[in-house]
Amino acid sequence: MGFMSRGTQWVAALSLLSASHVSASDTFSVCTAELAEQALEQGVSQTTVDAIFPKLEYQARVIELDRSQPEFVQTFPGYFSKRVTDWRTTKGQEMLAKHEKLLDALNDKYGIPPHYLLAFWGLETNFGGYKGKMSVLDSLATLACDPRRSTYFTQELLVAVKLLERESLTKDEMVGSWAGAMGHTQFMPSAYTHYAVDGDNDGQINLWNSEEDALTSAANFLKSLGWKPGFRWGREITLPEGFNFQLSGYKNRRSLSEWHELGVTKADGSPLGEDDTTAYVIVPAGHAGPAFIAYPNFRVIMRWNNSEFYAVAVGVLADRIAGAPGIKATLPDLPAYSRTDIIALQRKLNQLGYDVGKPDGIIGPATREGIRNYQIANKMIADGFPGLDVMAALKVTPSQSAS
C-alpha cells in the first residue's frame, strides 16, 4: 500500500474516531502505531521505531497553537520595531567578530555576505538565545495525527526520525518550536535533511549545539534558494512628489534605470543608479511610511519566510550589523486593526464590487488590490493600504486607536 493511500485512509479513520468520542490518547496511540509501520516501510530500523514511537506523547497545546489566530493584525511599524533593535544590532556585531574567519569562508564558498547570515540568525532565535523548548517529535506526531495537515506533518515526522538516526540524536535533544522547527536556524526536518551542513567538521550536523553548523547550513540553504552573490537585498528609497503608488508592488518590476527616470532616489537623495537590475517598490506601511526598493535577493529572503515584513527586517538588520544606519523615515503611528476590523473592510469592499475573496481578516494580495482599486475609483492615494482614510470612507471603525 502506497504512502499517500495509507495517509488518506488514516485521515478518514481519524475523523471517524474523533466523531465517536474516542479519547485523544487512544486515538493518538492508534495513529502512532500506524506511523511506526510507515517508518519501518521507509527504512527506519526496528530498534529506532521501538525506542521512539511508543514514547511519543500527545501535545494538546500544539493543536491549540495550530488553531489559534492572533486577535490583532500586526502593522509594519509594530513588527519592525520589535525585530530590528539596537540589541540585535550590537549582538550581531559581536557574533560578526566571533565568527569572522568562518563567515568570510562561507562568503567565499556560498556567496552569502556575513551580515545577512547574522540577520537571519538574529531574527530566528536571537542568535541561539531561544531555540524553542517543545519536543519536536511529539509536536510533529501530534500534528501528523490531526486531520488538518496530516500529510505534510506525517512526512516531516518520518524525515525527523530518519534524521535522528542519521545524526545519532536523541528524542530529548530534538527540541524546537510547536510546529517542529529546530535549532539556531529553525529548520524544519526536511530542510535540515537536505540543506544542513557539518560546518565544524566533527562528523555530525547538529543545529542545536554547533553555531558553525548552523551558519554553514544557513549559507547553503540561501544559495539553494537562489541568492545572487554581489547584490543587496534592496534599500530604503525616497519617492518623488506625486509618485503614482499604482506603480508599487511585485507586479510592477522595472529596471533601476527606469526607476531613476521616474525620480526615485536613495533615502539620502543620492542617485539610485542606472542599470538593468530589476526591482520593485514596496510601501509596507502605506504612503505615509517608509518606502523600499526590492532587488531579486529580496524574493530569496521571502523564500525562507514568505513575508515582506520579514524580508525588510532581515535586510535592514543586516545593513545595521554591517555598520549602516537604520531607516531614515519615521514609522507612522498606525491603528492596531483587529481581524474583525479587516473582515469588515473586506466585506465592504466585496459589497461594493471590489472582489477580495472570502473575508478572512488577512491583508493579502487580493485585499491590497481591492483597496487599491477602491482608492483609484475614489481619487485617493492608491497605495493599497488600509489607512485610516480608507477605513473612514468605508465606515469601518478600528477596535484600537494605535499599534
Side-chain angles (χ1 to χ4, degrees):
M1 183 179 293
F3 170 76
M4 291 303 294
S5 60
R6 184 185 287 273
T8 302
Q9 287 185 349
W10 167 247
V11 171
L14 182 61
S15 299
L16 289 173
L17 285 168
S18 299
S20 63
H21 306 292
V22 176
S23 72
S25 60
D26 289 342
T27 302
F28 187 70
S29 295
V30 173
C31 175
T32 53
E34 167 70 15
L35 292 169
E37 288 184 30
Q38 292 188 38
L40 287 170
E41 289 175 3
Q42 293 193 22
V44 178
S45 71
Q46 186 71 58
T47 300
T48 297
V49 167
D50 291 344
I52 296 300
F53 286 86
K55 297 179 182 178
L56 292 173
E57 297 181 4
Y58 180 79
Q59 301 294 322
R61 178 61 177 156
V62 167
I63 300 301
E64 291 174 12
L65 291 168
D66 182 59
R67 298 293 192 272
S68 66
Q69 293 182 326
E71 181 183 357
F72 290 96
V73 178
Q74 193 165 35
T75 63
F76 177 74
Y79 181 97
F80 184 86
S81 62
K82 289 180 177 64
R83 286 163 178 79
V84 183
T85 62
D86 291 342
W87 181 88
R88 278 203 176 107
T89 301
T90 301
K91 188 69 174 178
Q93 291 169 342
E94 291 174 4
M95 290 298 179
L96 183 63
K98 176 181 178 181
H99 292 292
E100 181 179 10
K101 184 176 179 180
L102 171 66
L103 290 166
D104 286 343
L106 294 178
N107 193 15
D108 290 341
K109 181 174 182 178
Y110 297 101
I112 317 296
H115 48 294
Y116 287 101
L117 296 177
L118 294 167
F120 278 102
W121 188 17
L123 287 179
E124 291 296 333
T125 60
N126 274 341
F127 306 99
Y130 186 77
K131 299 188 285 287
K133 296 181 178 179
M134 302 189 77
S135 166
V136 165
L137 296 182
D138 287 344
S139 295
L140 291 173
T142 299
L143 291 165
C145 293
D146 178 69
R148 197 169 85 84
R149 289 188 288 171
S150 177
T151 299
Y152 170 73
F153 283 109
T154 294
Q155 292 170 334
E156 290 294 333
L157 172 65
L158 296 176
V159 169
V161 174
K162 294 174 190 176
L163 187 64
L164 175 144
E165 275 196 322
R166 189 187 84 179
E167 302 301 332
S168 301
L169 299 167
T170 67
K171 180 176 183 288
D172 290 342
E173 284 181 293
M174 297 179 71
V175 295
S177 75
W178 65 267
M182 301 177 285
H184 283 276
T185 47
Q186 292 294 280
F187 278 15
M188 289 297 289
S190 54
Y192 198 135
T193 297
H194 291 109
Y195 304 108
V197 178
D198 181 8
D200 56 14
N201 299 308
D202 67 349
Q204 182 191 47
I205 305 174
N206 191 314
L207 298 188
W208 291 273
N209 298 328
S210 173
E211 295 179 356
E212 293 82 359
D213 286 3
L215 290 168
T216 306
S217 300
N220 186 46
F221 188 37
L222 285 167
K223 180 182 180 181
S224 75
L225 293 176
W227 187 272
K228 295 184 179 298
F231 290 88
R232 296 171 54 88
W233 66 276
R235 65 171 75 246
E236 187 184 8
I237 54 174
T238 296
L239 299 173
E241 190 73 26
F243 178 77
N244 179 4
F245 283 88
Q246 294 180 56
L247 299 179
S248 63
Y250 181 68
K251 293 181 180 179
N252 296 297
R253 300 183 296 284
R254 285 170 165 74
S255 70
L256 290 184
S257 296
E258 291 175 296
W259 288 121
H260 172 78
E261 291 175 4
L262 288 169
V264 177
T265 67
K266 295 179 182 178
D268 62 5
S270 62
L272 188 61
E274 298 182 66
D275 61 41
D276 58 0
T277 299
T278 302
Y280 64 101
V281 169
I282 58 173
V283 282
H287 68 273
F292 304 92
I293 194 158
Y295 303 149
N297 280 336
F298 186 84
R299 301 296 292 187
V300 175
I301 297 172
M302 288 183 63
R303 292 185 192 111
W304 181 302
N305 182 324
N306 190 28
S307 161
E308 285 191 347
F309 288 7
Y310 180 87
V312 171
V314 166
V316 175
L317 180 58
D319 289 346
R320 287 185 56 174
I321 290 171
I327 62 174
K328 294 177 68 68
T330 301
L331 294 172
D333 187 23
L334 296 174
Y337 296 135
S338 69
R339 297 183 73 88
T340 302
D341 297 335
I342 301 304
I343 288 172
L345 166 70
Q346 291 167 328
R347 285 175 176 162
K348 288 287 182 71
L349 289 170
N350 281 339
Q351 289 168 5
L352 293 171
Y354 304 99
D355 183 14
V356 301
K358 181 180 178 181
D360 58 5
I362 298 171
I363 306 172
T367 297
R368 289 195 293 270
E369 186 66 19
I371 293 170
R372 192 188 309 278
N373 290 333
Y374 174 81
Q375 291 168 324
I376 293 169
N378 290 275
K379 296 180 170 55
M380 303 169 77
I381 296 176
D383 59 6
F385 185 78
L388 286 175
D389 55 345
V390 172
M391 301 298 266
L394 290 170
K395 297 182 171 54
V396 177
T397 304
S399 304
Q400 300 289 324
S401 59
S403 59

